[in-house]
Amino acid sequence: MQRFQGEDANWKQMRREQIRMSERALKGQMDENIRRQEREKHKDMLEKQELLHQNQVQLHQAALEEERRKAARIALHSFNQAQAAERAESLKEQHRQEETENLAEMWHTMTSDMLTECADAGERDVGGGKPPQILPDRWKGIRPEQLRSFQRDREQQCQQKQKQCDAAKIQDAAWNLEQLTLTRKAEEEERRKAEKMRELRIQMDQYNMKLAREQRAHQEYLNKKLYTNKPTKDYFYQFNTSSR
């Protein structure tokens, strides 16, 4: 390639300028790569910090939840202990009250008329002519006079019941006898009606036989005595022979 004087200097200058421009472009690319890498590192660092923060928050919440559950368990345990203590105290008080009542009842039984043999201790007068009121916790049983009165009343009731049974039996027997009498009368009436019907049929049969005999006798009389001369053919020919 032919070059003129002065062209070599220009070409070298241009060549150096191209090299500097290439170096600047390459340096710019390298700087951009470095900045991009820095941004990515910064982004990764922020993501790791956010993840760490979330983990810390979750751990804190889990610790708070565990503390809450622990406090709830402690409160429930304390409540159960208080309830158990209250029930135990209530049972003790109930046992003490039952023992006190049992002792009072035993003392009342020992000092009252309950253990006496007097029958009046089991009764209380109510006045007004009414029978005495029975006290179940002091009643000593039926007195002899009361037992005799009960026995008399029972015998009277049995006798009254026996009389009612006897009256009912007599009434049933009378009713059965009346029914039997009516039945026999009805059967006798049926027999009389049947006998009358039989006699009436016999009389009708005899009357019919008599009528039949009389009719046969009358027919024989007509045939044998009244109509002895039978007309001949000439007798019938004489009729309707004239013009009149």
Side-chain angles (χ1 to χ4, degrees), residues 189-200:
E189 183 66 22
E190 290 294 331
R191 284 195 295 270
R192 285 198 298 268
K193 289 181 180 180
E195 184 65 24
K196 287 182 179 180
M197 291 296 296
R198 189 178 67 82
E199 292 177 356
L200 182 60

Side-chain angles (χ1 to χ4, degrees), residues 179-236:
Q179 292 294 321
L180 180 61
T181 302
L182 292 176
T183 302
R184 289 179 178 176
K185 287 182 179 180
E187 292 176 353
E188 185 66 25
E189 183 66 22
E190 290 294 331
R191 284 195 295 270
R192 285 198 298 268
K193 289 181 180 180
E195 184 65 24
K196 287 182 179 180
M197 291 296 296
R198 189 178 67 82
E199 292 177 356
L200 182 60
R201 285 196 298 271
I202 293 174
Q203 292 176 3
M204 290 295 296
D205 293 340
Q206 291 176 354
Y207 179 73
N208 291 331
M209 291 174 64
K210 180 180 178 182
L211 289 178
R213 287 195 300 270
E214 291 178 354
Q215 187 176 4
R216 285 196 299 271
H218 181 67
Q219 188 66 36
E220 289 178 357
Y221 170 76
L222 293 176
N223 294 333
K224 294 180 178 180
K225 294 183 178 181
L226 185 60
Y227 301 121
T228 55
N229 296 323
K230 295 182 179 181
T232 61
K233 295 180 180 180
D234 296 334
Y235 173 77
F236 293 104

